Amino acid sequence: MNSNEIEYLECDVLVIGSGGTGSQAVQGAAEEGLKVIVISKDPMSSSDTKICEGVITVRESGDTTDTKEILSENIKLAGADLPDNKITAAFANDSKSAYDRLRNNGLRPSINKEKNTPKTLAIAMGGHNKSRSVGHKNSGIAFGHTNWDTIIKYKNVNYYEDCWFLEVVKKEFQKNNNKDIEVLGGLIYDAARGKILFIKAPSVIIASGGLSSLYFPKTDTMRGNTGDSYALGIQAGADLIDMEQIQFLPFCLASPPSYEGLLAGEPSTASFLGVLRDKNKKIILDSVYLRTRAECSEAIMRAVEDGRGSPNGGAFLDMTKNMSAPKSGKYFMKYLKSALPSAYNNARQALGKEAGKAEIPWEVRPSAHYSMGGIRVDEYTRVIHSTENLYEPKIIKGLFAAGQAMGGLFGANRLGSTSLTELAVFGYRAGKSAAKNANQSTKHNNYDIFHENYMKFKNIFNKKGKLKAYKLKLDLQKKCWDNIGPARTEKKLKIMLSFLNKIEKDLKSINVPNEMIWNQQFIDFIELKNMIITAKAVTTASLKRDKSVGGHVRLDKKTSSLFSKPYSTLIKINKNNSFGAYKLFRKKTSLKRIINYKISEKFRFMKAKILRSLPESISDSIIENKYKNILGTNKTIIKPGSIDGASGDKVNQI
Amino acid sequence: MQEKYLNIKLKLKRNKEFILIEYKYKKRSYDERPMALDVLLQAQEEKYDDLAFRYGCRARNCGVCTIDVNDRPKLACRARVKEGDILSAMATLPVIKDLVVKRDAITRQLKGYNNISHKNDLNKDADNSYHNLTACIECYACLDGCPIHAKNNIVDIQNNVAYKYGNPYSLLKIQRLLIDPLTPEIEKTQLIDKAKSLGLEIYRREYKNLKIKCGVGINLKGEVIKPLLDVAFGDEVEKENQ
C-alpha cells in the first residue's frame, strides 16, 4: 500500500459535520479540554442551519407561564405521540440554557427592554401553545456566524473541510446471543489534499444532517443532505426510527429551473380565500390556510397522479380572490409580502410581476424540507442498537448522534422553530456525552482494523466500469420523488424496493478513475451509496407504517385514527444483512385530550365555511378586520416549516 | 428568433494544468437566461460527469458556489450568463480541481481570535452596524482586489495552514466582535492587535485606491475597514496630521 496516501491521526472526540449540531458538539467536548477533530464535506458551517429562517424555540421567552412540562407535552402531541418522552423532556429542559449558550457565542437577538428577555415573534407560532419563538436579523446566516465562531474558538479543536466521512470504524464482540459494539474511530477521504485519514477516536459524533437531496431538485435545503448520517449510523449497527416521516413543504416553486424547489409560501400564505386548483381550474382544496402541509401536498399529488397536474407536476395556488376583494384586497397584499418575505421574493422573481401581485395563480409543488426520523438515541444522544427485545436497547459504545441525524424528538410532525433548538440542545449534549466516554476509555494501540476496512474503499479508486455515479444519482433522485415522495402507495414502495436492489448492484459497474486529489466520481460514488441505503430505510419504514400519519401520506390507506395505538417504525440490519422493519410502540396521550382537540378543530373549519358562504359585501369587511388585527401589531413573520405556516397542522396536536 | 443554445467556456484545472473547454448549453426555453450554476449542472449531467464545482442552497445564502464569471467573482446560483461567458475558479484562492478552490486557509487565520469570557449580561441590544456585518455569507468575493490578501502565497493545497495576510472577510469578523455590545473593553486591544498582525496597515496606505466589492452588498470600506483604521491608527493619524 502506498503509505503516502494515508495520514494517521488521533483525537478524543471526532465530530462529523460542522453545522449547528457539529459546532455545539465541538463546544461540549472542547470545554472539557479534550482533543477534538471536526470533519466537514462542505466548507465550515455552510449547513442547513446557515440557510434557515433563523427562528428558534426558547422556553419562557415570551410567556412566564411556560414550563418544561408544557413545552415537552406540546412537542409530543404535535408529533402524534411518536416522540420519545425522555427526549422531548430533555429538549424542554435545556432549551433556555442552550439558547443562552448560542448568545454567549455571538448570536444577538433584539431585546424586549420591558421584560429584559429576547423579543419573541409578534404572533405566537401556531403550533406552540405559548409564545416562545425568537427571530433573528439575517435569519440563519446569523447562526452561521455563531457556529463558525464556536468551532474556531478553541485551540484544542482541529478541523478538516472537503472531507468525506467513509465509515465508522468499530469492533464487535459476541456476547451470549447479543453483540457489543465499540467505536474505534473513522475513515475519511480528504479530497482537497488527496489523502485518506485514519482517525483514532474513542468517541464519534454523527452530526451530518438530513436526507432531502434524495429529492433534488425538489428540496429547499443544502445539496449535501445525501443521507450520510443515516447510512453511517445503520452501517455502524444503529437502529433508525420513523424514517418514513419526512416533512414536505407543499408550496414550493416548480419552475424556472434555477428556482426549482425553493419555498414560495406556506398554507397560511393562501389566506382566507386562497384555493388550490388543478390544470382544469377545478378547485382541489379549499380553506387552504387551515390545512396541514400534508393535506396540501396530498391534494396536489393526487391531482398529479390523476393527470390533472400543472405543467411541471404540481398544482395552482390561486389567491386572486384575496387580491380582488374591494376592501380587504390591499391588506392581503401587505400580508402576502410581509408574512414570509424570502419566500415571497423567490416567488416574485421566479414567476414574474403578475404573480407577485397575485393577479394570476402560482404554480406550486411540494419540496422535501426535513427528516423527522433518524438514528435511534437516548436522551444523552448515545446511539442505540436493539437486541432481540426492542424495548431493552443497548448502547453502541462511543457513538453519538444529534440534530437532524437523530430520531425520537419530533415523530410525525415538527413544531415551527424547533430544529435550531434541537441542534443546540442535543449537539451540546452529544459533546458532553462523547467527552465523558472518551475520559473513561482505554486507548487502542494499532490501526489494524482501519487498514482492513480501508481495503474495500481502496478498491473503489481505479474501478473500471460503464456506469457513471452522477447519472445514477440523478436516476435515484427521480425515482425517490416518484415513489417515496410526498404521496406514496404500496405499489410505488414495492417498485422502489426493486429499483433500489437493482441500483445497489449497479454500484459494481461504476467507473472511478485512479486519482487521489478531488476524485469527483469517488465522491459521487460514496454519496450515491449513502443515498441508496437511506432510501432503502425510508421505503422499508414506509411499508411498515400502515396508515397516513403526520408527514407520511399514503394514497391507498386511511388516515391514522386518533384512537389507534401510536408506534414508531424501527429499521435495523438483520443478521443476514437485510433491512428488518419493526413497530416500536409509544406511550399514548389520554383520550380526554384527544376529544377536546377534535371539537376545537371542527369548530375552526365550520367558521371558515360560514365566512366563505356569506355575500362578498359582508365577508369582505370581516376579512378586512382580520387583516387589521394581524398586521396591526408588529410585523408578521411566519417561519417556513412552522405550524404557524400551516395552522391546520394542529390536527396532530390532540 | 433567439438561439436555442448558449456557448459557454469553462476554464478548468486538470492535472496541474488549466484547460479551456466549450460547452453548448441547451436552453430549456427560448427566453431562458440561465444562471452559471444551471450551466454547470447541465454540463455535469450531459457531458462531464467528473466536473468538480461547489454549490449548496441555490438561493444566495450559503456562500459556497462562488466562481469567476469573466474573471470577476460571482455567486454561481444567482449569476446570469450570456453567450461567450467564461466560467473559472476564483482566481484569489488555490484551485484544487476544476472550479473548486481550497478555502480553509482563511478560516484558520482567525483560530482563537474570539476568546471572549462567558459572564456577560446577555440582554443587550446590538445596533444595526453589528447586524449589517452578520449579513456576510462568507462567499469570499471580497478577496478580489484586496492588496493585503494579494501578498499571500496561494498555491499550496497540500497543507492545512493559515494565510499570513488578512482580507476583508477576516477583518469583518474582527470588526463585528469589536462592535459587539458584549465584548469587554479589555479584549478589544487584542482584537486590534490581531487586525494589525493580518496587515491592516496596508489598507491605511491604499485606502483611497481600494476597490473591493462584497458579494451581498455590505459596505466593506465604510463599515469594516474605515472603523478599524480609525481605532487602530486614529491617534497616530491625528499626530501625523498635526
Side-chain angles (χ1 to χ4, degrees):
Chain A
M1 186 177 300
N2 179 1
S3 56
N4 280 341
E5 72 195 33
I6 297 171
E7 194 167 294
Y8 300 88
L9 297 163
E10 270 181 63
C11 65
D12 300 303
V13 176
L14 176 56
V15 183
I16 316 167
S18 66
T21 310
S23 63
Q24 281 298 290
V26 164
Q27 181 171 7
E31 282 174 351
E32 304 296 318
L34 297 177
K35 196 177 168 200
V36 180
I37 291 180
V38 195
I39 294 297
S40 182
K41 65 177 186 181
D42 281 316
M44 199 170 80
S45 297
S46 299
S47 67
D48 273 0
T49 311
K50 185 175 176 183
I51 66 163
C52 77
E53 290 291 314
V55 186
I56 181 167
T57 299
V58 184
R59 195 190 74 232
E60 295 164 36
S61 55
D63 191 335
T64 48
T65 63
D66 197 6
T67 66
K68 292 173 189 174
E69 290 72 27
I70 293 173
L71 174 55
S72 175
E73 194 190 61
N74 201 177
I75 300 215
K76 170 94 172 142
L77 295 176
D81 267 348
L82 269 53
D84 181 322
N85 287 15
K86 284 186 178 161
I87 293 177
T88 59
F91 176 98
N93 188 67
D94 294 5
S95 93
K96 215 176 153 184
S97 61
Y99 182 62
D100 282 350
R101 197 168 49 249
L102 295 180
R103 288 207 279 164
N104 267 318
N105 294 346
L107 190 66
R108 301 280 169 263
S110 300
I111 302 298
N112 180 331
K113 296 266 164 48
E114 275 168 38
K115 294 181 181 170
N116 206 28
T117 57
K119 242 183 221 164
T120 50
L121 301 188
I123 298 173
M125 286 219 150
H128 287 276
N129 50 17
K130 300 282 177 188
S131 165
R132 51 167 96 98
S133 297
V134 180
H136 294 84
K137 285 182 179 142
N138 295 318
S139 312
I141 300 165
F143 283 79
H145 280 279
T146 307
N147 298 336
W148 194 98
D149 285 345
T150 307
I151 294 175
I152 212 84
K153 178 173 182 148
Y154 299 95
K155 298 218 163 76
N156 48 331
V157 174
N158 208 345
Y159 63 89
Y160 294 81
E161 57 182 46
D162 299 324
C163 282
W164 273 257
F165 198 94
L166 303 176
E167 190 176 75
V168 177
V169 180
K170 62 183 199 290
K171 210 159 73 174
E172 291 183 4
F173 314 86
Q174 204 63 33
K175 226 181 179 183
N176 303 328
N177 215 5
N178 285 315
K179 67 178 173 199
D180 277 349
I181 306 173
E182 186 182 340
V183 164
L184 303 176
L187 282 181
I188 290 108
Y189 170 50
D190 182 338
R193 297 186 302 140
K195 290 196 179 296
I196 300 292
L197 313 182
F198 285 8
I199 307 186
K200 258 203 271 187
S203 296
V204 174
I205 300 172
I206 301 177
S208 36
L211 53 67
S212 298
S213 285
L214 286 181
Y215 305 96
F216 182 86
K218 297 162 182 82
T219 171
D220 67 333
T221 68
M222 288 289 282
R223 182 215 72 85
N225 284 303
T226 47
D228 305 351
S229 298
Y230 317 113
L232 291 172
I234 197 165
Q235 285 175 305
D239 293 355
L240 301 180
I241 55 169
D242 295 327
M243 287 303 291
E244 78 285 3
Q245 295 296 343
I246 295 166
Q247 184 178 38
F248 289 90
L249 302 181
F251 301 150
C252 294
L253 294 164
S255 73
S258 318
Y259 289 83
E260 200 179 349
L262 303 182
L263 187 72
E266 288 274 30
S268 64
T269 306
S271 198
F272 304 105
L273 303 171
V275 293
L276 268 176
R277 291 179 194 273
D278 64 13
K279 72 170 183 191
N280 307 319
K281 297 187 181 167
K282 193 180 158 232
I283 293 179
I284 53 174
L285 197 73
D286 60 21
S287 308
V288 168
Y289 74 110
L290 291 177
R291 306 286 178 172
T292 64
R293 294 191 182 81
E295 281 176 304
C296 297
S297 296
E298 186 179 342
I300 297 170
M301 297 317 290
R302 275 189 195 280
V304 173
E305 292 289 314
D306 289 356
R308 294 179 283 112
S310 63
N312 295 296
F316 295 101
L317 178 59
D318 182 356
M319 299 178 286
T320 51
K321 270 241 161 108
N322 288 311
M323 184 274 302
S324 63
K327 284 186 197 164
S328 61
K330 62 174 186 238
Y331 290 102
F332 165 71
M333 282 315 297
K334 223 171 151 181
Y335 168 78
L336 182 66
K337 286 178 185 171
S338 63
L340 280 167
S342 57
Y344 174 75
N345 281 335
N346 286 341
R348 191 179 42 82
Q349 286 172 25
L351 304 173
K353 274 185 194 158
E354 276 177 298
K357 291 180 193 160
E359 286 166 357
I360 53 168
W362 296 3
E363 188 186 13
V364 290
R365 188 182 62 197
S367 269
H369 184 65
Y370 198 88
S371 166
M372 292 172 288
I375 299 170
R376 189 183 180 196
V377 290
D378 68 5
E379 67 273 31
Y380 303 106
T381 75
R382 295 182 296 186
V383 173
I384 290 167
H385 75 107
S386 62
T387 56
E388 303 277 297
N389 182 347
L390 301 180
Y391 301 89
E392 278 177 19
K394 294 191 82 151
I395 301 297
I396 297 181
K397 186 173 164 14
L399 192 60
F400 307 86
Q404 201 175 169
M406 68 187 262
L409 173 61
F410 297 127
N413 214 335
R414 196 168 70 76
L415 293 178
S417 73
T418 44
S419 63
L420 291 173
T421 316
E422 178 191 34
L423 64 87
V425 167
F426 295 101
Y428 191 71
R429 276 181 174 239
K432 289 291 176 224
S433 299
K436 193 177 163 195
N437 175 69
N439 282 327
Q440 293 167 352
S441 297
T442 46
K443 287 208 165 168
H444 291 274
N445 289 328
N446 59 57
Y447 285 97
D448 291 353
I449 301 180
F450 287 77
H451 282 288
E452 260 171 56
N453 290 16
Y454 174 50
M455 283 321 293
K456 59 177 179 269
F457 292 101
K458 190 177 170 58
N459 290 335
I460 299 169
F461 287 100
N462 198 15
K463 208 165 74 59
K464 300 273 178 281
K466 282 182 184 163
L467 298 174
K468 295 175 173 180
Y470 185 73
K471 279 271 191 195
L472 292 181
K473 243 183 179 177
L474 295 175
D475 276 359
L476 175 64
Q477 285 163 334
K478 196 180 170 306
K479 288 284 189 314
C480 283
W481 178 256
D482 290 343
N483 297 307
I484 54 171
R488 307 169 194 172
T489 61
E490 187 167 340
K491 194 178 157 198
K492 288 176 171 212
L493 294 171
K494 288 192 168 150
I495 291 172
M496 190 68 200
L497 269 190
S498 58
F499 171 77
L500 287 168
N501 288 334
K502 183 191 158 288
I503 198 169
E504 214 168 11
K505 289 187 189 109
D506 286 345
L507 282 174
K508 292 193 182 82
S509 318
I510 286 175
N511 190 65
V512 181
N514 186 18
E515 195 179 290
M516 284 309 285
I517 291 183
W518 206 284
N519 187 327
Q520 187 63 40
Q521 290 99 323
F522 180 80
I523 291 170
D524 282 330
F525 180 97
I526 295 298
E527 290 190 342
L528 172 65
K529 193 166 80 76
N530 290 345
M531 289 164 80
I532 293 171
I533 293 168
T534 304
K536 215 167 161 183
V538 173
T539 312
T540 319
S542 304
L543 281 164
K544 199 69 189 170
R545 177 73 63 194
D546 45 23
K547 296 269 166 55
S548 284
V549 56
H552 179 258
V553 177
R554 280 287 292 269
L555 299 175
D556 56 346
K557 298 274 183 186
K558 286 196 176 124
T559 302
S560 178
S561 148
L562 293 171
F563 299 97
S564 61
K565 201 165 159 45
Y567 67 90
S568 282
T569 60
L570 188 152
I571 305 293
K572 61 172 180 162
I573 296 181
N574 284 332
K575 275 178 192 157
N576 62 0
N577 266 340
S578 67
F579 278 34
Y582 306 88
K583 290 181 179 180
L584 185 72
F585 286 95
R586 301 287 200 185
K587 205 175 164 227
K588 190 172 160 62
T589 303
S590 78
L591 211 57
K592 198 176 148 194
R593 300 185 58 86
I594 296 172
I595 291 166
N596 276 345
Y597 181 76
K598 272 292 185 196
I599 292 168
S600 71
E601 187 206 344
K602 279 252 157 58
F603 185 65
R604 284 189 309 131
F605 272 91
M606 206 174 69
K607 278 204 299 194
K609 203 173 167 190
I610 292 170
L611 185 66
R612 278 202 314 277
S613 60
L614 290 171
E616 194 190 48
S617 58
I618 301 171
S619 66
D620 193 21
S621 299
I622 296 173
I623 292 170
E624 185 186 8
N625 277 328
K626 281 179 182 269
Y627 282 126
K628 279 181 181 168
N629 278 335
I630 299 170
L631 299 168
T633 52
N634 268 321
K635 213 174 139 192
T636 319
I637 302 171
I638 296 164
K639 186 177 154 44
S642 78
I643 297 233
D644 200 31
S647 57
D649 273 341
K650 287 178 200 162
V651 167
N652 287 311
Q653 264 194 286
I654 309 177
Chain B
M1 194 164 116
Q2 283 175 312
E3 293 294 323
K4 211 183 162 188
Y5 294 94
L6 270 184
N7 293 296
I8 304 290
K9 294 189 181 77
L10 308 177
K11 189 181 155 195
L12 307 176
K13 187 185 174 190
R14 295 269 163 120
N15 301 322
K16 296 181 183 169
E17 281 174 21
F18 286 94
I19 54 164
L20 197 66
I21 58 170
E22 290 215 16
Y23 178 69
K24 244 182 177 2
Y25 177 80
K26 195 177 168 197
K27 289 204 249 181
R28 285 165 285 200
S29 61
Y30 282 105
D31 58 353
E32 189 190 2
R33 291 170 57 220
M35 309 292 180
L37 181 59
D38 296 321
V39 175
L40 298 176
L41 286 168
Q42 191 187 89
Q44 189 175 28
E45 181 176 352
E46 299 293 329
K47 209 166 171 190
Y48 309 103
D49 71 300
D50 59 345
L51 187 64
F53 57 96
R54 294 184 196 277
Y55 71 98
C57 68
R58 301 181 293 137
R60 197 179 171 269
N61 284 323
C62 74
V64 309
C65 68
T66 320
I67 56 167
D68 280 358
V69 178
N70 303 330
D71 296 327
R72 282 283 165 268
K74 298 269 160 85
L75 288 165
C77 69
R78 285 293 173 269
R80 292 197 192 277
V81 288
K82 55 183 192 314
E83 177 72 22
D85 277 355
I86 302 172
L87 312 184
S88 57
M90 291 172 79
T92 47
L93 287 172
V95 186
I96 300 169
K97 193 189 168 194
D98 293 353
L99 302 174
V100 176
V101 291
K102 188 162 163 64
R103 297 171 39 122
D104 64 339
I106 289 182
T107 331
R108 287 177 199 283
Q109 66 185 196
L110 289 182
K111 196 165 172 177
Y113 88 115
N114 57 341
N115 194 26
I116 305 296
S117 70
H118 275 191
K119 284 172 187 159
N120 287 312
D121 169 17
L122 292 173
N123 292 324
K124 277 190 190 167
D125 258 322
D127 63 18
N128 278 340
S129 58
Y130 177 89
H131 296 297
N132 289 349
L133 302 189
T134 61
C136 165
I137 61 169
E138 203 187 345
C139 68
Y140 294 159
C142 60
L143 302 184
D144 185 40
C146 168
I148 307 184
H149 178 69
K151 286 178 165 298
N152 289 315
N153 168 20
I154 62 152
V155 183
D156 187 14
I157 60 164
Q158 280 302 318
N159 295 301
N160 288 337
V161 289
Y163 289 142
K164 187 178 172 203
Y165 293 98
N167 54 75
Y169 170 76
S170 294
L171 294 171
L172 175 141
K173 294 294 277 189
I174 291 173
Q175 171 64 9
R176 192 196 62 127
L177 215 51
L178 215 51
I179 58 174
D180 185 334
L182 267 66
T183 303
E185 286 303 318
I186 192 165
E187 302 273 354
K188 292 187 179 173
T189 330
Q190 286 172 34
L191 286 169
I192 290 297
D193 287 347
K194 181 75 191 174
K196 283 180 178 171
S197 78
L198 291 173
L200 180 66
E201 191 164 15
I202 297 166
Y203 279 146
R204 192 184 177 196
R205 281 186 257 127
E206 307 204 14
Y207 188 78
K208 265 188 188 165
N209 306 320
L210 195 57
K211 284 196 181 106
I212 45 171
K213 212 175 149 192
C214 169
V216 292
I218 299 169
N219 176 2
L220 293 169
K221 264 181 100 168
E223 297 207 52
V224 175
I225 293 163
K226 189 162 185 309
L228 273 175
L229 288 175
D230 284 349
V231 181
F233 304 110
D235 292 346
E236 294 167 42
V237 174
E238 270 175 36
K239 267 183 219 160
E240 279 167 29
N241 289 344
Q242 278 168 7

